[in-house]
Amino acid sequence: MLGKIRLPGAIGVSYLPPPPELCEELMSALMEWANGLSERHGGSDPDRVPALVAGTVISFGFVFLHPFMDGNGRISRFLLHHTLCQLRELPRGNLLPISIAMKRHEGDYLAALETFSKPAREQWRVNWVDADHHDFHFKGSENLYRYWDATQAVTFTLKMAREALRQDLKAETHYLACFDHIYRSIDTRFDVRGSDLSRLVMMCLSHGGKLSKNRRKQFRHQVPEDVLNAIESETQLLLGEFPDGNPIGLSEI
């Protein structure tokens, strides 16, 4: 169990979810719709929803319902990736790094959320009672939460998917290729514990082919100095093959 159904938040927050009884009803409806997508996704079914649109509705719909005290945003982004896999737009186990692109465009992500959250917040009257107690009254129509315009959310998600495909996936592919090359080169020449070697290669790649004094000190008892030097040399040699000394996007991984 990830959390408990939450009550609406306190005064000053930018968004209030639907009342608890409505939240439970809408969560059930969202799950039922999401779980039935795979049956409607194949062939020429007129009710077929494109995978990115479906993933966006599920992801943003979940975060708008906001059923848990914490973790709603993280779960919503997982649901986007899960939907793409469930509808077989991505082979199971594969991942399109949309979340990385979203993080880079956090302002646009918040703007997409606010196309719904701001109007929804205006439909709540919040009165201070005492100390940490407030009286919440929803003065709007339940249809506000039942039927929301996903246009901005879908537009944003499509943009992030394109960017992740053209930029972040390419960067991660370069990173993994560099990591594998350096790891194999060192592993064939030295006897180093795999977990230590993995960490050192990642650190060296992330810092332009250098291991800091602190890192060298941290590993001095389990990794000989000549191995640390070899990792640096191999990494610098590989990075030197790129015009700017860095594979595409490597510093962002």
PDB file of all heavy atoms in Angstrom, residues 71-107:
ATOM      1  N   GLY A  71       4.193  11.472  -2.901  1.00  0.00           N
ATOM      2  CA  GLY A  71       4.556  10.573  -3.989  1.00  0.00           C
ATOM      3  C   GLY A  71       3.640  10.611  -5.191  1.00  0.00           C
ATOM      4  O   GLY A  71       3.839   9.848  -6.143  1.00  0.00           O
ATOM      5  N   ASN A  72       2.642  11.487  -5.206  1.00  0.00           N
ATOM      6  CA  ASN A  72       1.703  11.523  -6.332  1.00  0.00           C
ATOM      7  C   ASN A  72       2.399  11.839  -7.657  1.00  0.00           C
ATOM      8  O   ASN A  72       2.108  11.232  -8.681  1.00  0.00           O
ATOM      9  CB  ASN A  72       0.610  12.558  -6.058  1.00  0.00           C
ATOM     10  CG  ASN A  72      -0.257  12.184  -4.873  1.00  0.00           C
ATOM     11  OD1 ASN A  72      -1.079  11.291  -4.946  1.00  0.00           O
ATOM     12  ND2 ASN A  72      -0.059  12.868  -3.757  1.00  0.00           N
ATOM     13  N   GLY A  73       3.323  12.808  -7.634  1.00  0.00           N
ATOM     14  CA  GLY A  73       4.028  13.184  -8.858  1.00  0.00           C
ATOM     15  C   GLY A  73       4.886  12.059  -9.397  1.00  0.00           C
ATOM     16  O   GLY A  73       4.895  11.785 -10.597  1.00  0.00           O
ATOM     17  N   ARG A  74       5.620  11.387  -8.508  1.00  0.00           N
ATOM     18  CA  ARG A  74       6.492  10.290  -8.942  1.00  0.00           C
ATOM     19  C   ARG A  74       5.674   9.137  -9.518  1.00  0.00           C
ATOM     20  O   ARG A  74       6.037   8.544 -10.537  1.00  0.00           O
ATOM     21  CB  ARG A  74       7.347   9.802  -7.766  1.00  0.00           C
ATOM     22  CG  ARG A  74       8.395  10.809  -7.323  1.00  0.00           C
ATOM     23  CD  ARG A  74       9.329  10.214  -6.289  1.00  0.00           C
ATOM     24  NE  ARG A  74       8.666   9.908  -5.032  1.00  0.00           N
ATOM     25  CZ  ARG A  74       8.491  10.785  -4.047  1.00  0.00           C
ATOM     26  NH1 ARG A  74       8.916  12.030  -4.196  1.00  0.00           N
ATOM     27  NH2 ARG A  74       7.910  10.429  -2.922  1.00  0.00           N
ATOM     28  N   ILE A  75       4.570   8.816  -8.849  1.00  0.00           N
ATOM     29  CA  ILE A  75       3.728   7.724  -9.337  1.00  0.00           C
ATOM     30  C   ILE A  75       3.111   8.095 -10.681  1.00  0.00           C
ATOM     31  O   ILE A  75       3.004   7.260 -11.588  1.00  0.00           O
ATOM     32  CB  ILE A  75       2.632   7.384  -8.311  1.00  0.00           C
ATOM     33  CG1 ILE A  75       3.263   6.843  -7.026  1.00  0.00           C
ATOM     34  CG2 ILE A  75       1.662   6.349  -8.888  1.00  0.00           C
ATOM     35  CD1 ILE A  75       2.273   6.630  -5.900  1.00  0.00           C
ATOM     36  N   SER A  76       2.720   9.351 -10.831  1.00  0.00           N
ATOM     37  CA  SER A  76       2.089   9.765 -12.091  1.00  0.00           C
ATOM     38  C   SER A  76       3.053   9.623 -13.256  1.00  0.00           C
ATOM     39  O   SER A  76       2.659   9.210 -14.356  1.00  0.00           O
ATOM     40  CB  SER A  76       1.591  11.212 -11.985  1.00  0.00           C
ATOM     41  OG  SER A  76       2.662  12.136 -12.015  1.00  0.00           O
ATOM     42  N   ARG A  77       4.326   9.943 -13.040  1.00  0.00           N
ATOM     43  CA  ARG A  77       5.306   9.803 -14.123  1.00  0.00           C
ATOM     44  C   ARG A  77       5.592   8.336 -14.415  1.00  0.00           C
ATOM     45  O   ARG A  77       5.818   7.951 -15.569  1.00  0.00           O
ATOM     46  CB  ARG A  77       6.583  10.574 -13.769  1.00  0.00           C
ATOM     47  CG  ARG A  77       6.374  12.088 -13.805  1.00  0.00           C
ATOM     48  CD  ARG A  77       7.663  12.849 -13.602  1.00  0.00           C
ATOM     49  NE  ARG A  77       8.156  12.789 -12.238  1.00  0.00           N
ATOM     50  CZ  ARG A  77       7.736  13.583 -11.251  1.00  0.00           C
ATOM     51  NH1 ARG A  77       6.786  14.482 -11.481  1.00  0.00           N
ATOM     52  NH2 ARG A  77       8.252  13.490 -10.039  1.00  0.00           N
ATOM     53  N   PHE A  78       5.566   7.502 -13.375  1.00  0.00           N
ATOM     54  CA  PHE A  78       5.694   6.060 -13.607  1.00  0.00           C
ATOM     55  C   PHE A  78       4.532   5.550 -14.453  1.00  0.00           C
ATOM     56  O   PHE A  78       4.714   4.727 -15.360  1.00  0.00           O
ATOM     57  CB  PHE A  78       5.733   5.306 -12.273  1.00  0.00           C
ATOM     58  CG  PHE A  78       5.418   3.841 -12.419  1.00  0.00           C
ATOM     59  CD1 PHE A  78       6.373   2.956 -12.891  1.00  0.00           C
ATOM     60  CD2 PHE A  78       4.147   3.356 -12.119  1.00  0.00           C
ATOM     61  CE1 PHE A  78       6.076   1.606 -13.048  1.00  0.00           C
ATOM     62  CE2 PHE A  78       3.842   2.011 -12.273  1.00  0.00           C
ATOM     63  CZ  PHE A  78       4.812   1.133 -12.743  1.00  0.00           C
ATOM     64  N   LEU A  79       3.334   6.027 -14.167  1.00  0.00           N
ATOM     65  CA  LEU A  79       2.156   5.562 -14.895  1.00  0.00           C
ATOM     66  C   LEU A  79       2.245   5.901 -16.379  1.00  0.00           C
ATOM     67  O   LEU A  79       1.754   5.141 -17.224  1.00  0.00           O
ATOM     68  CB  LEU A  79       0.890   6.178 -14.287  1.00  0.00           C
ATOM     69  CG  LEU A  79       0.494   5.643 -12.912  1.00  0.00           C
ATOM     70  CD1 LEU A  79      -0.663   6.459 -12.337  1.00  0.00           C
ATOM     71  CD2 LEU A  79       0.116   4.169 -12.985  1.00  0.00           C
ATOM     72  N   LEU A  80       2.865   7.023 -16.702  1.00  0.00           N
ATOM     73  CA  LEU A  80       3.049   7.383 -18.109  1.00  0.00           C
ATOM     74  C   LEU A  80       3.915   6.340 -18.806  1.00  0.00           C
ATOM     75  O   LEU A  80       3.557   5.827 -19.873  1.00  0.00           O
ATOM     76  CB  LEU A  80       3.684   8.767 -18.209  1.00  0.00           C
ATOM     77  CG  LEU A  80       4.104   9.234 -19.606  1.00  0.00           C
ATOM     78  CD1 LEU A  80       2.924   9.218 -20.567  1.00  0.00           C
ATOM     79  CD2 LEU A  80       4.726  10.624 -19.534  1.00  0.00           C
ATOM     80  N   HIS A  81       5.055   6.001 -18.201  1.00  0.00           N
ATOM     81  CA  HIS A  81       5.938   4.993 -18.793  1.00  0.00           C
ATOM     82  C   HIS A  81       5.255   3.623 -18.835  1.00  0.00           C
ATOM     83  O   HIS A  81       5.368   2.882 -19.819  1.00  0.00           O
ATOM     84  CB  HIS A  81       7.236   4.892 -17.983  1.00  0.00           C
ATOM     85  CG  HIS A  81       8.073   6.128 -18.030  1.00  0.00           C
ATOM     86  ND1 HIS A  81       8.144   7.011 -16.988  1.00  0.00           N
ATOM     87  CD2 HIS A  81       8.864   6.643 -19.003  1.00  0.00           C
ATOM     88  CE1 HIS A  81       8.950   8.010 -17.306  1.00  0.00           C
ATOM     89  NE2 HIS A  81       9.397   7.814 -18.518  1.00  0.00           N
ATOM     90  N   HIS A  82       4.550   3.292 -17.770  1.00  0.00           N
ATOM     91  CA  HIS A  82       3.884   1.987 -17.691  1.00  0.00           C
ATOM     92  C   HIS A  82       2.828   1.843 -18.784  1.00  0.00           C
ATOM     93  O   HIS A  82       2.688   0.766 -19.385  1.00  0.00           O
ATOM     94  CB  HIS A  82       3.245   1.818 -16.313  1.00  0.00           C
ATOM     95  CG  HIS A  82       2.504   0.528 -16.152  1.00  0.00           C
ATOM     96  ND1 HIS A  82       3.142  -0.693 -16.060  1.00  0.00           N
ATOM     97  CD2 HIS A  82       1.169   0.261 -16.080  1.00  0.00           C
ATOM     98  CE1 HIS A  82       2.242  -1.650 -15.930  1.00  0.00           C
ATOM     99  NE2 HIS A  82       1.039  -1.097 -15.943  1.00  0.00           N
ATOM    100  N   THR A  83       2.110   2.915 -19.056  1.00  0.00           N
ATOM    101  CA  THR A  83       1.071   2.860 -20.088  1.00  0.00           C
ATOM    102  C   THR A  83       1.676   2.615 -21.461  1.00  0.00           C
ATOM    103  O   THR A  83       1.145   1.830 -22.261  1.00  0.00           O
ATOM    104  CB  THR A  83       0.261   4.170 -20.099  1.00  0.00           C
ATOM    105  OG1 THR A  83      -0.331   4.367 -18.809  1.00  0.00           O
ATOM    106  CG2 THR A  83      -0.845   4.117 -21.147  1.00  0.00           C
ATOM    107  N   LEU A  84       2.796   3.268 -21.757  1.00  0.00           N
ATOM    108  CA  LEU A  84       3.455   3.063 -23.047  1.00  0.00           C
ATOM    109  C   LEU A  84       3.879   1.604 -23.216  1.00  0.00           C
ATOM    110  O   LEU A  84       3.798   1.045 -24.314  1.00  0.00           O
ATOM    111  CB  LEU A  84       4.673   3.980 -23.173  1.00  0.00           C
ATOM    112  CG  LEU A  84       4.377   5.486 -23.224  1.00  0.00           C
ATOM    113  CD1 LEU A  84       5.679   6.276 -23.307  1.00  0.00           C
ATOM    114  CD2 LEU A  84       3.475   5.831 -24.402  1.00  0.00           C
ATOM    115  N   CYS A  85       4.327   0.991 -22.130  1.00  0.00           N
ATOM    116  CA  CYS A  85       4.711  -0.427 -22.192  1.00  0.00           C
ATOM    117  C   CYS A  85       3.480  -1.323 -22.273  1.00  0.00           C
ATOM    118  O   CYS A  85       3.453  -2.295 -23.031  1.00  0.00           O
ATOM    119  CB  CYS A  85       5.551  -0.798 -20.973  1.00  0.00           C
ATOM    120  SG  CYS A  85       7.183  -0.044 -20.943  1.00  0.00           S
ATOM    121  N   GLN A  86       2.455  -0.990 -21.492  1.00  0.00           N
ATOM    122  CA  GLN A  86       1.239  -1.799 -21.473  1.00  0.00           C
ATOM    123  C   GLN A  86       0.582  -1.841 -22.849  1.00  0.00           C
ATOM    124  O   GLN A  86       0.052  -2.872 -23.268  1.00  0.00           O
ATOM    125  CB  GLN A  86       0.257  -1.236 -20.444  1.00  0.00           C
ATOM    126  CG  GLN A  86      -1.022  -2.061 -20.282  1.00  0.00           C
ATOM    127  CD  GLN A  86      -2.016  -1.397 -19.353  1.00  0.00           C
ATOM    128  OE1 GLN A  86      -2.163  -0.174 -19.371  1.00  0.00           O
ATOM    129  NE2 GLN A  86      -2.689  -2.186 -18.530  1.00  0.00           N
ATOM    130  N   LEU A  87       0.641  -0.729 -23.570  1.00  0.00           N
ATOM    131  CA  LEU A  87       0.039  -0.653 -24.899  1.00  0.00           C
ATOM    132  C   LEU A  87       1.027  -1.056 -25.990  1.00  0.00           C
ATOM    133  O   LEU A  87       0.772  -0.853 -27.172  1.00  0.00           O
ATOM    134  CB  LEU A  87      -0.495   0.760 -25.150  1.00  0.00           C
ATOM    135  CG  LEU A  87      -1.577   1.224 -24.172  1.00  0.00           C
ATOM    136  CD1 LEU A  87      -2.100   2.598 -24.551  1.00  0.00           C
ATOM    137  CD2 LEU A  87      -2.725   0.222 -24.109  1.00  0.00           C
ATOM    138  N   ARG A  88       2.172  -1.575 -25.573  1.00  0.00           N
ATOM    139  CA  ARG A  88       3.182  -2.144 -26.472  1.00  0.00           C
ATOM    140  C   ARG A  88       3.766  -1.130 -27.444  1.00  0.00           C
ATOM    141  O   ARG A  88       4.206  -1.491 -28.538  1.00  0.00           O
ATOM    142  CB  ARG A  88       2.594  -3.343 -27.230  1.00  0.00           C
ATOM    143  CG  ARG A  88       2.150  -4.467 -26.295  1.00  0.00           C
ATOM    144  CD  ARG A  88       1.569  -5.638 -27.045  1.00  0.00           C
ATOM    145  NE  ARG A  88       1.125  -6.676 -26.112  1.00  0.00           N
ATOM    146  CZ  ARG A  88       0.522  -7.798 -26.481  1.00  0.00           C
ATOM    147  NH1 ARG A  88       0.289  -8.033 -27.764  1.00  0.00           N
ATOM    148  NH2 ARG A  88       0.152  -8.688 -25.577  1.00  0.00           N
ATOM    149  N   GLU A  89       3.756   0.127 -27.048  1.00  0.00           N
ATOM    150  CA  GLU A  89       4.475   1.133 -27.823  1.00  0.00           C
ATOM    151  C   GLU A  89       5.970   1.043 -27.526  1.00  0.00           C
ATOM    152  O   GLU A  89       6.795   1.476 -28.324  1.00  0.00           O
ATOM    153  CB  GLU A  89       3.957   2.532 -27.486  1.00  0.00           C
ATOM    154  CG  GLU A  89       2.524   2.782 -27.917  1.00  0.00           C
ATOM    155  CD  GLU A  89       2.344   2.698 -29.424  1.00  0.00           C
ATOM    156  OE1 GLU A  89       3.255   3.127 -30.162  1.00  0.00           O
ATOM    157  OE2 GLU A  89       1.294   2.196 -29.873  1.00  0.00           O
ATOM    158  N   LEU A  90       6.298   0.494 -26.364  1.00  0.00           N
ATOM    159  CA  LEU A  90       7.681   0.206 -25.997  1.00  0.00           C
ATOM    160  C   LEU A  90       7.754  -1.250 -25.573  1.00  0.00           C
ATOM    161  O   LEU A  90       6.864  -1.729 -24.866  1.00  0.00           O
ATOM    162  CB  LEU A  90       8.136   1.087 -24.828  1.00  0.00           C
ATOM    163  CG  LEU A  90       8.312   2.582 -25.087  1.00  0.00           C
ATOM    164  CD1 LEU A  90       8.602   3.300 -23.771  1.00  0.00           C
ATOM    165  CD2 LEU A  90       9.437   2.832 -26.076  1.00  0.00           C
ATOM    166  N   PRO A  91       8.793  -1.981 -25.992  1.00  0.00           N
ATOM    167  CA  PRO A  91       8.951  -3.359 -25.502  1.00  0.00           C
ATOM    168  C   PRO A  91       9.064  -3.348 -23.988  1.00  0.00           C
ATOM    169  O   PRO A  91       9.665  -2.440 -23.407  1.00  0.00           O
ATOM    170  CB  PRO A  91      10.265  -3.810 -26.157  1.00  0.00           C
ATOM    171  CG  PRO A  91      10.445  -2.910 -27.336  1.00  0.00           C
ATOM    172  CD  PRO A  91       9.852  -1.590 -26.931  1.00  0.00           C
ATOM    173  N   ARG A  92       8.475  -4.327 -23.344  1.00  0.00           N
ATOM    174  CA  ARG A  92       8.516  -4.379 -21.882  1.00  0.00           C
ATOM    175  C   ARG A  92       9.964  -4.402 -21.395  1.00  0.00           C
ATOM    176  O   ARG A  92      10.791  -5.142 -21.907  1.00  0.00           O
ATOM    177  CB  ARG A  92       7.776  -5.606 -21.365  1.00  0.00           C
ATOM    178  CG  ARG A  92       6.270  -5.491 -21.530  1.00  0.00           C
ATOM    179  CD  ARG A  92       5.536  -6.556 -20.743  1.00  0.00           C
ATOM    180  NE  ARG A  92       4.091  -6.434 -20.913  1.00  0.00           N
ATOM    181  CZ  ARG A  92       3.336  -5.612 -20.206  1.00  0.00           C
ATOM    182  NH1 ARG A  92       3.888  -4.844 -19.294  1.00  0.00           N
ATOM    183  NH2 ARG A  92       2.033  -5.551 -20.405  1.00  0.00           N
ATOM    184  N   GLY A  93      10.225  -3.593 -20.405  1.00  0.00           N
ATOM    185  CA  GLY A  93      11.578  -3.479 -19.884  1.00  0.00           C
ATOM    186  C   GLY A  93      12.334  -2.301 -20.465  1.00  0.00           C
ATOM    187  O   GLY A  93      13.334  -1.865 -19.899  1.00  0.00           O
ATOM    188  N   ASN A  94      11.869  -1.779 -21.607  1.00  0.00           N
ATOM    189  CA  ASN A  94      12.501  -0.602 -22.203  1.00  0.00           C
ATOM    190  C   ASN A  94      11.871   0.662 -21.633  1.00  0.00           C
ATOM    191  O   ASN A  94      10.747   0.649 -21.147  1.00  0.00           O
ATOM    192  CB  ASN A  94      12.357  -0.615 -23.723  1.00  0.00           C
ATOM    193  CG  ASN A  94      13.237  -1.674 -24.362  1.00  0.00           C
ATOM    194  OD1 ASN A  94      13.784  -2.525 -23.674  1.00  0.00           O
ATOM    195  ND2 ASN A  94      13.376  -1.626 -25.669  1.00  0.00           N
ATOM    196  N   LEU A  95      12.600   1.750 -21.731  1.00  0.00           N
ATOM    197  CA  LEU A  95      12.131   2.990 -21.128  1.00  0.00           C
ATOM    198  C   LEU A  95      12.524   4.169 -21.997  1.00  0.00           C
ATOM    199  O   LEU A  95      13.679   4.298 -22.402  1.00  0.00           O
ATOM    200  CB  LEU A  95      12.749   3.152 -19.731  1.00  0.00           C
ATOM    201  CG  LEU A  95      12.196   4.269 -18.850  1.00  0.00           C
ATOM    202  CD1 LEU A  95      10.757   3.968 -18.448  1.00  0.00           C
ATOM    203  CD2 LEU A  95      13.047   4.421 -17.594  1.00  0.00           C
ATOM    204  N   LEU A  96      11.550   5.003 -22.319  1.00  0.00           N
ATOM    205  CA  LEU A  96      11.826   6.271 -22.989  1.00  0.00           C
ATOM    206  C   LEU A  96      11.970   7.320 -21.891  1.00  0.00           C
ATOM    207  O   LEU A  96      11.030   7.540 -21.126  1.00  0.00           O
ATOM    208  CB  LEU A  96      10.681   6.642 -23.934  1.00  0.00           C
ATOM    209  CG  LEU A  96      10.867   7.917 -24.759  1.00  0.00           C
ATOM    210  CD1 LEU A  96      12.058   7.781 -25.699  1.00  0.00           C
ATOM    211  CD2 LEU A  96       9.602   8.224 -25.553  1.00  0.00           C
ATOM    212  N   PRO A  97      13.138   7.959 -21.766  1.00  0.00           N
ATOM    213  CA  PRO A  97      13.398   8.828 -20.604  1.00  0.00           C
ATOM    214  C   PRO A  97      12.651  10.160 -20.649  1.00  0.00           C
ATOM    215  O   PRO A  97      13.250  11.239 -20.631  1.00  0.00           O
ATOM    216  CB  PRO A  97      14.918   9.020 -20.664  1.00  0.00           C
ATOM    217  CG  PRO A  97      15.257   8.887 -22.109  1.00  0.00           C
ATOM    218  CD  PRO A  97      14.314   7.844 -22.655  1.00  0.00           C
ATOM    219  N   ILE A  98      11.326  10.084 -20.676  1.00  0.00           N
ATOM    220  CA  ILE A  98      10.518  11.305 -20.720  1.00  0.00           C
ATOM    221  C   ILE A  98      10.691  12.122 -19.445  1.00  0.00           C
ATOM    222  O   ILE A  98      10.687  13.355 -19.476  1.00  0.00           O
ATOM    223  CB  ILE A  98       9.030  10.952 -20.937  1.00  0.00           C
ATOM    224  CG1 ILE A  98       8.847  10.200 -22.263  1.00  0.00           C
ATOM    225  CG2 ILE A  98       8.170  12.209 -20.932  1.00  0.00           C
ATOM    226  CD1 ILE A  98       7.422   9.767 -22.528  1.00  0.00           C
ATOM    227  N   SER A  99      10.858  11.444 -18.309  1.00  0.00           N
ATOM    228  CA  SER A  99      10.985  12.156 -17.035  1.00  0.00           C
ATOM    229  C   SER A  99      12.207  13.069 -17.017  1.00  0.00           C
ATOM    230  O   SER A  99      12.192  14.124 -16.372  1.00  0.00           O
ATOM    231  CB  SER A  99      11.065  11.158 -15.878  1.00  0.00           C
ATOM    232  OG  SER A  99       9.849  10.465 -15.729  1.00  0.00           O
ATOM    233  N   ILE A 100      13.283  12.662 -17.702  1.00  0.00           N
ATOM    234  CA  ILE A 100      14.484  13.503 -17.760  1.00  0.00           C
ATOM    235  C   ILE A 100      14.172  14.796 -18.499  1.00  0.00           C
ATOM    236  O   ILE A 100      14.557  15.890 -18.077  1.00  0.00           O
ATOM    237  CB  ILE A 100      15.639  12.747 -18.443  1.00  0.00           C
ATOM    238  CG1 ILE A 100      16.039  11.532 -17.609  1.00  0.00           C
ATOM    239  CG2 ILE A 100      16.836  13.667 -18.653  1.00  0.00           C
ATOM    240  CD1 ILE A 100      17.126  10.689 -18.237  1.00  0.00           C
ATOM    241  N   ALA A 101      13.455  14.670 -19.614  1.00  0.00           N
ATOM    242  CA  ALA A 101      13.071  15.864 -20.371  1.00  0.00           C
ATOM    243  C   ALA A 101      12.122  16.736 -19.556  1.00  0.00           C
ATOM    244  O   ALA A 101      12.224  17.968 -19.570  1.00  0.00           O
ATOM    245  CB  ALA A 101      12.422  15.450 -21.692  1.00  0.00           C
ATOM    246  N   MET A 102      11.201  16.119 -18.833  1.00  0.00           N
ATOM    247  CA  MET A 102      10.269  16.878 -17.992  1.00  0.00           C
ATOM    248  C   MET A 102      11.014  17.665 -16.924  1.00  0.00           C
ATOM    249  O   MET A 102      10.678  18.818 -16.635  1.00  0.00           O
ATOM    250  CB  MET A 102       9.267  15.932 -17.329  1.00  0.00           C
ATOM    251  CG  MET A 102       8.199  15.399 -18.254  1.00  0.00           C
ATOM    252  SD  MET A 102       7.031  14.350 -17.343  1.00  0.00           S
ATOM    253  CE  MET A 102       5.741  14.129 -18.576  1.00  0.00           C
ATOM    254  N   LYS A 103      12.018  17.044 -16.338  1.00  0.00           N
ATOM    255  CA  LYS A 103      12.800  17.722 -15.305  1.00  0.00           C
ATOM    256  C   LYS A 103      13.510  18.938 -15.878  1.00  0.00           C
ATOM    257  O   LYS A 103      13.610  19.984 -15.226  1.00  0.00           O
ATOM    258  CB  LYS A 103      13.824  16.742 -14.716  1.00  0.00           C
ATOM    259  CG  LYS A 103      14.699  17.334 -13.623  1.00  0.00           C
ATOM    260  CD  LYS A 103      13.889  17.732 -12.410  1.00  0.00           C
ATOM    261  CE  LYS A 103      14.780  18.239 -11.297  1.00  0.00           C
ATOM    262  NZ  LYS A 103      13.993  18.692 -10.116  1.00  0.00           N
ATOM    263  N   ARG A 104      13.978  18.808 -17.107  1.00  0.00           N
ATOM    264  CA  ARG A 104      14.675  19.913 -17.758  1.00  0.00           C
ATOM    265  C   ARG A 104      13.714  21.058 -18.085  1.00  0.00           C
ATOM    266  O   ARG A 104      14.125  22.209 -18.191  1.00  0.00           O
ATOM    267  CB  ARG A 104      15.356  19.391 -19.028  1.00  0.00           C
ATOM    268  CG  ARG A 104      16.335  20.349 -19.654  1.00  0.00           C
ATOM    269  CD  ARG A 104      17.241  19.673 -20.661  1.00  0.00           C
ATOM    270  NE  ARG A 104      16.521  18.868 -21.625  1.00  0.00           N
ATOM    271  CZ  ARG A 104      16.623  17.531 -21.717  1.00  0.00           C
ATOM    272  NH1 ARG A 104      17.395  16.860 -20.898  1.00  0.00           N
ATOM    273  NH2 ARG A 104      15.940  16.866 -22.629  1.00  0.00           N
ATOM    274  N   HIS A 105      12.434  20.734 -18.252  1.00  0.00           N
ATOM    275  CA  HIS A 105      11.418  21.743 -18.579  1.00  0.00           C
ATOM    276  C   HIS A 105      10.379  21.796 -17.457  1.00  0.00           C
ATOM    277  O   HIS A 105       9.172  21.765 -17.712  1.00  0.00           O
ATOM    278  CB  HIS A 105      10.744  21.397 -19.905  1.00  0.00           C
ATOM    279  CG  HIS A 105      11.676  21.415 -21.079  1.00  0.00           C
ATOM    280  ND1 HIS A 105      12.032  22.574 -21.735  1.00  0.00           N
ATOM    281  CD2 HIS A 105      12.339  20.409 -21.706  1.00  0.00           C
ATOM    282  CE1 HIS A 105      12.857  22.287 -22.724  1.00  0.00           C
ATOM    283  NE2 HIS A 105      13.067  20.986 -22.725  1.00  0.00           N
ATOM    284  N   GLU A 106      10.866  21.895 -16.238  1.00  0.00           N
ATOM    285  CA  GLU A 106       9.971  21.847 -15.081  1.00  0.00           C
ATOM    286  C   GLU A 106       8.946  22.980 -15.095  1.00  0.00           C
ATOM    287  O   GLU A 106       7.796  22.805 -14.687  1.00  0.00           O
ATOM    288  CB  GLU A 106      10.789  21.886 -13.791  1.00  0.00           C
ATOM    289  CG  GLU A 106       9.988  21.559 -12.550  1.00  0.00           C
ATOM    290  CD  GLU A 106      10.866  21.319 -11.338  1.00  0.00           C
ATOM    291  OE1 GLU A 106      12.105  21.324 -11.472  1.00  0.00           O
ATOM    292  OE2 GLU A 106      10.304  21.129 -10.249  1.00  0.00           O
ATOM    293  N   GLY A 107       9.368  24.148 -15.578  1.00  0.00           N
ATOM    294  CA  GLY A 107       8.443  25.274 -15.647  1.00  0.00           C
ATOM    295  C   GLY A 107       7.275  24.995 -16.575  1.00  0.00           C
ATOM    296  O   GLY A 107       6.119  25.320 -16.266  1.00  0.00           O
TER     297      GLY A 107
END
